[in-house]
Amino acid sequence: MSNSYVNFVLTGDNNYIAPLGVCMTSILLNLADDRCARFFVFAENFTNDDIDKLYEIKNVRPCEVVIVNMKQYTHLFSCIDTSKFSLTYVNLVCYFRLLMLDILPDDVDKCFYIDGDMIIDSDLSYLYDSFDEKNIIGAVIEILAMQYRNDILKHFMQWDDLANFQRAPLKNPYFNAGFFLLNVKKAKELNLFQKAFDFLDKHPNPPYADQDTLNYIIGQQYPQLVQHFPPSYNVFCDMFHDVNLYNDAFYSKDAIQEAFIHPKIYHYGGPNKPWINRKVRFFYSIWWRYCSLSPWWNLKEPDAETETNNSENICSLLHVRLFNFFPIFKKKANHNEKSYYLFGVRFLLKKQITSYMKSYRIFGLKFKRFSILKMYELNQVELKNIVDLNFNNLNNMLNSQFNQLNNMVNRQFKIFENVTELQFHNLKNAIDLETERLTNGIDYNAQNFERLDKKIVTETYDVRRNLIDQISNLSKKVEIMNSVFVTHQNTFLPFKNMFEGKNIVIVATGSSLNRYIPIPDTIHIGVNRAYKFESIMLDFLFIQDISGLKNEISNINEYGKGKCIKFYGDVLPIEQCAIPESYLIKSDAKRYYTGGMNTPFVRDISSCLLPDFGSVVFSALAFALYTNPKKLYLVGCDCSDTGYFDNYTETISSSLKGDLPNIFQGWQKFKTFANHFYPDTDIISINPVGLKGVFHDIEQS
């Protein structure tokens, strides 16, 4: 089990319980299924209620939580004067991470440290496993400090024993200590625990506390043993995300821009925190999304600010108005960027964000353009392996069942043999001891034999009945597998890669559908009642769970005849959801199957069950990806309880509301699946509600 552990250290006092719990929740929800998180929480002033609440994190996903009371260690930092910290919102708790080497058990060879004001939006087991154990530490270089090092790192530029940093700072860069992976074993070998306190004896109150300490004893003493993680693994949410501000900050502009667009770790560093106020510049809602999935789901959001400070906005506006005012027309080039000015006002900005994405701003309106690479295809060898695997599993299952039956029958005959011997022995004793009662004894034993015979007959019948039932169930499973394979080959195989290079819109029935402005030159795939949306003619329609649509099936059958291709789906575990064959004949529709709740996404839907996480939309999504589109727009996919576009009900039913967490998990699994197997398909959410922040968002006015 130890090989499956991923170790984490977090620190905090009793004012930081909820942020710590939300951070741990984000780690658990993204960690690989085959790994186990082990949390060491260095705690100060935790009450028993605080500890019990933090243990509730195990309800999110099984994990290990070890609470370490730091009261016994605070005397080690008696020389620290917290009033001299450059960051006034930082307290002595931040120094606790320096004690990792002394506190962690011997079986911990490496361990992540993570600040409690972070959200982890990626699987950290990849960094954990790929870390080069020749190094001491893996961390992200702090771009703000490196860009403005003459001010922020003024003390590092002045200390006599940091000549290497002063001479070549980009070769000896300064990392952020909010997130790092420490090689605990190697750090112990180098006695870094003692070196940390030697540094504090020499510099008892460094401006950036423990971060200065770690950079001094590791980053500057062993720069060749520092692994630099990509900047996306530590993106500050309360700093300016203008890539042009960071042209001398160690990382390339492309890497920094990619980090701003697709963060893997959100760092809410600084005095503004999402659970305190709404002033965080970027990604405020990400923290609250993970909070809603944690044991602190009922935590109240801070009230909206009634007064705002517009000084920064005014300065920015004056800069735009006054910069290059005199030229009537000017074209400026700056790092893959072209700007056009008219009387000093920028009316067009064209920027190459990444190799596959361009951004345009025309009079403040923002547009993006994507180029899509050719996607992966499932080859015939993989298909054959899948089929072989399924039949091998079936054969192993049959062998196991027959072996169990054989053992059961042998046990029953053995029991019969032992019981029979016992009865004859009792009979002989009865004859020898009580001759005068011979007749009564014979009658008594005859009755015993009669009962025994009935018992054997009954048990043998039960064994036989059980065997027949199990063989019948196996036979049904084989029939279902064959039926799914044959049906899906006919239904879906002709559509493989059919829409390569084209755009698809998934049309669901959430209330936001009413705000949808149809996108031209796209294929529209609707689900259930989406056929009632009169602004478009659907090209495809997925119908599932007929029990809720019986009053509308005649209208659905007649909808778009000759224009709209319909797919009618059966949920195999729920017989009342099965769609009669007559409906398919009337509508010239195609049949498909799902396996019920939690059926996963697969690449080859022509031979496997379609996914189902409580909504027909997941079957439509799997089909859309199978056609290999350039862009995939999500419309009406609200993932919320705000009702339906056609006022079918004002709000969704209580039973469906209870499924919303599972449906949202399904969307997360869809995102992971699409990013891995269809990385070149851009997924865009139109007017999102519950999915806001999950994909690229576009609001239509």
Side-chain angles (χ1 to χ4, degrees):
M1 182 65 182
S2 59
N3 291 333
S4 70
Y5 277 132
V6 179
N7 298 299
F8 301 91
V9 165
L10 298 96
T11 63
D13 56 23
N14 58 336
N15 296 315
Y16 234 65
I17 301 297
L20 286 172
V22 175
C23 176
M24 294 161 71
T25 295
S26 69
I27 293 171
L28 293 173
L29 291 178
N30 289 284
L31 195 65
D33 293 339
D34 60 341
R35 308 305 289 272
C36 178
R38 180 163 55 169
F39 296 106
F40 298 92
V41 181
F42 294 179
E44 182 182 49
N45 298 327
F46 276 25
T47 66
N48 291 334
D49 289 341
D50 293 335
I51 294 173
D52 291 341
K53 185 65 176 178
L54 202 60
Y55 280 148
E56 290 182 22
I57 200 70
K58 298 179 181 180
N59 296 330
V60 176
R61 174 176 166 177
C63 61
E64 292 190 16
V65 179
V66 180
I67 308 294
V68 181
N69 187 346
M70 299 301 292
K71 186 176 182 179
Q72 57 185 312
Y73 298 101
T74 54
H75 68 279
L76 297 174
F77 304 105
S78 58
C79 64
I80 303 299
D81 182 0
T82 57
S83 65
K84 295 184 179 181
F85 287 179
S86 293
L87 305 177
T88 57
Y89 52 86
V90 174
N91 58 28
L92 189 63
V93 172
C94 67
Y95 274 105
F96 290 169
R97 74 193 77 180
L98 298 180
L99 302 178
M100 291 169 60
L101 301 180
D102 190 52
I103 295 176
L104 292 177
D106 293 337
D107 67 329
V108 177
D109 290 337
K110 54 185 175 179
C111 183
F112 282 112
Y113 172 81
I114 297 180
D115 272 351
D117 58 358
M118 285 184 164
I119 290 294
I120 312 303
D121 199 33
S122 63
D123 178 11
L124 290 183
S125 64
Y126 170 76
L127 279 186
Y128 197 79
D129 295 337
S130 61
F131 179 66
D132 187 348
E133 297 189 3
K134 295 179 181 178
N135 296 320
I136 302 174
I137 199 170
V140 176
I141 303 306
E142 184 163 324
I143 60 174
L144 186 66
M146 289 301 297
Q147 179 67 42
Y148 303 101
R149 49 187 175 271
N150 290 330
D151 293 324
I152 297 177
L153 301 179
K154 183 179 180 180
H155 56 298
F156 262 46
M157 301 297 288
Q158 294 175 347
W159 286 347
D160 295 337
D161 46 359
L162 293 181
N164 288 337
F165 178 80
Q166 297 156 12
R167 181 174 57 255
L170 295 182
K171 292 184 178 179
N172 305 271
Y174 185 94
F175 58 80
N176 181 268
F179 170 77
F180 60 81
L181 177 56
L182 183 67
N183 185 337
V184 177
K185 182 179 180 181
K186 193 171 186 68
K188 288 181 178 179
E189 293 174 355
L190 296 173
N191 198 23
L192 292 186
F193 177 78
Q194 183 59 46
K195 290 181 181 179
F197 286 92
D198 290 344
F199 166 78
L200 291 175
D201 287 340
K202 187 175 182 180
H203 302 280
N205 296 293
Y208 300 111
D210 61 299
Q211 184 165 280
D212 282 344
T213 305
L214 291 170
N215 270 277
Y216 184 96
I217 65 173
I218 301 177
Q220 300 304 313
Q221 305 302 321
Y222 305 97
Q224 73 281 7
L225 300 181
V226 177
Q227 184 170 328
H228 303 131
F229 292 151
S232 58
Y233 281 97
N234 197 339
V235 175
F236 279 79
C237 302
D238 203 27
M239 60 183 275
F240 288 107
H241 287 186
D242 183 352
V243 70
N244 292 315
L245 296 176
Y246 310 103
N247 54 16
D248 189 26
F250 182 77
Y251 295 109
S252 69
K253 282 192 174 183
D254 287 342
I256 295 173
Q257 183 68 67
E258 176 65 17
F260 288 158
I261 297 173
H262 298 122
K264 290 183 171 62
I265 295 180
Y266 301 88
H267 192 171
Y268 297 93
N272 295 322
K273 311 288 186 184
W275 59 92
I276 296 176
N277 58 51
R278 297 173 180 258
K279 295 180 180 180
V280 180
R281 284 191 176 92
F282 302 100
F283 309 119
Y284 168 86
S285 62
I286 295 294
W287 192 91
W288 284 101
R289 181 179 299 281
Y290 277 101
C291 181
S292 68
L293 300 173
S294 76
W296 291 264
W297 58 269
N298 58 349
L299 187 68
K300 183 180 179 182
E301 284 196 53
D303 295 333
E305 296 291 329
T306 56
E307 297 182 2
T308 58
N309 184 357
N310 293 323
S311 61
E312 292 182 355
N313 295 334
I314 294 173
C315 292
S316 177
L317 181 63
L318 289 174
H319 175 77
V320 171
R321 292 293 183 268
L322 297 178
F323 180 69
N324 289 329
F325 178 77
F326 294 101
I328 296 177
F329 180 88
K330 183 173 182 179
K331 175 180 178 181
K332 179 186 177 185
N334 184 14
H335 187 67
N336 295 329
E337 175 187 304
K338 294 182 179 179
S339 299
Y340 297 86
Y341 295 83
L342 183 60
F343 293 105
V345 179
R346 185 173 66 190
F347 68 92
L348 174 64
L349 172 66
K350 175 182 178 183
K351 183 183 294 185
Q352 185 80 32
I353 298 178
T354 67
S355 59
Y356 56 84
M357 183 189 306
K358 292 182 180 179
S359 176
Y360 297 86
R361 283 187 183 270
I362 302 177
F363 289 112
L365 297 177
K366 188 174 182 180
F367 303 90
K368 290 183 180 179
R369 181 182 177 186
F370 304 87
S371 60
I372 307 300
L373 300 176
K374 193 173 182 180
M375 305 182 62
Y376 299 106
E377 294 183 358
L378 180 67
N379 57 40
Q380 293 180 352
V381 175
E382 289 176 314
L383 176 60
K384 180 178 181 300
N385 290 339
I386 291 172
V387 175
D388 289 345
L389 178 61
N390 286 330
F391 278 106
N392 287 337
N393 289 339
L394 177 61
N395 183 55
N396 292 336
M397 187 184 303
L398 286 170
N399 289 336
S400 175
Q401 295 293 336
F402 278 114
N403 288 336
Q404 291 180 17
L405 173 64
N406 184 55
N407 293 334
M408 187 183 302
V409 172
N410 288 336
R411 286 196 299 270
Q412 293 298 331
F413 277 110
K414 186 67 175 177
I415 291 172
F416 171 69
E417 180 181 4
N418 292 336
V419 171
T420 303
E421 290 179 357
L422 178 61
Q423 294 296 336
F424 276 110
H425 179 71
N426 290 338
L427 177 61
K428 182 178 182 299
N429 289 339
I431 293 173
D432 292 341
L433 294 175
E434 300 185 37
T435 305
E436 67 278 9
R437 302 176 59 187
L438 178 61
T439 302
N440 295 334
I442 293 174
D443 291 341
Y444 173 76
N445 282 285
Q447 293 174 2
N448 283 343
F449 276 114
E450 182 179 358
R451 288 195 297 270
L452 178 62
D453 181 63
K454 290 181 179 179
K455 180 180 179 182
I456 294 172
V457 170
T458 300
E459 291 183 354
T460 304
Y461 175 80
D462 290 342
V463 171
R464 181 173 175 272
R465 184 71 263 170
N466 184 44
L467 175 61
I468 292 173
D469 289 343
Q470 293 188 37
I471 294 176
S472 177
N473 290 335
L474 289 174
S475 177
K476 288 181 180 179
K477 290 180 181 179
V478 173
E479 290 176 2
I480 290 172
M481 291 173 61
N482 289 336
S483 179
V484 169
F485 182 84
V486 173
T487 301
H488 284 197
Q489 286 280 304
N490 294 329
T491 299
F492 295 120
L493 192 58
F495 295 98
K496 184 174 183 179
N497 298 325
M498 175 175 283
F499 299 131
E500 183 176 0
K502 297 182 180 181
N503 299 331
I504 290 178
V505 179
I506 297 293
V507 184
T509 58
S511 60
S512 69
L513 177 57
N514 289 317
R515 295 195 289 131
Y516 172 53
I517 301 173
I519 301 173
D521 300 325
T522 56
I523 294 97
H524 285 83
I525 303 176
V527 299
N528 285 355
R529 291 187 178 87
Y531 78 93
K532 290 184 175 182
F533 188 65
E534 297 178 352
S535 298
I536 56 174
M537 168 57 71
L538 297 175
D539 299 288
F540 298 91
L541 177 62
F542 277 75
I543 300 296
Q544 194 170 297
D545 190 0
I546 196 66
S547 60
L549 297 169
K550 288 184 177 179
N551 295 332
E552 301 185 43
I553 194 62
S554 59
N555 294 333
I556 295 172
N557 287 337
E558 294 299 321
Y559 175 79
K561 276 196 171 182
K563 298 178 181 179
C564 176
I565 298 176
K566 303 184 184 72
F567 298 97
Y568 288 0
D570 287 354
V571 184
L572 289 178
I574 309 175
E575 293 184 359
Q576 59 267 33
C577 293
I579 299 178
E581 191 69 24
S582 59
Y583 292 174
L584 277 76
I585 296 173
K586 291 178 182 179
S587 185
D588 192 23
K590 301 177 182 295
R591 187 183 296 278
Y592 70 90
Y593 298 98
T594 77
M597 193 72 75
N598 298 318
T599 304
F601 282 90
V602 294
R603 280 188 291 179
D604 187 9
I605 63 174
S606 68
S607 61
C608 300
L609 295 169
L610 264 61
D612 185 355
F613 295 91
S615 172
V616 62
V617 74
F618 296 109
S619 293
L621 289 168
F623 172 74
L625 289 177
Y626 187 69
T627 64
N628 198 4
K630 178 180 180 181
K631 293 182 180 180
L632 183 58
Y633 295 96
L634 308 177
V635 173
C637 302
D638 291 357
C639 194
S640 72
D641 59 356
T642 54
Y644 302 91
F645 79 100
D646 59 348
N647 295 323
Y648 173 68
T649 57
E650 293 183 0
T651 59
I652 66 174
S653 67
S654 59
S655 61
L656 183 55
K657 184 182 293 187
D659 285 341
L660 278 177
N662 192 73
I663 292 174
F664 184 76
Q665 289 292 332
W667 279 105
Q668 293 286 4
K669 292 181 183 295
F670 165 71
K671 178 181 178 181
T672 301
F673 173 79
N675 287 343
H676 184 71
F677 292 107
Y678 297 90
D680 297 328
T681 295
D682 187 30
I683 302 174
I684 303 167
S685 191
I686 306 294
N687 305 321
V689 183
L691 293 182
K692 187 171 292 185
V694 177
F695 306 101
H696 299 308
D697 295 342
I698 293 179
E699 294 288 344
Q700 291 181 326
S701 57

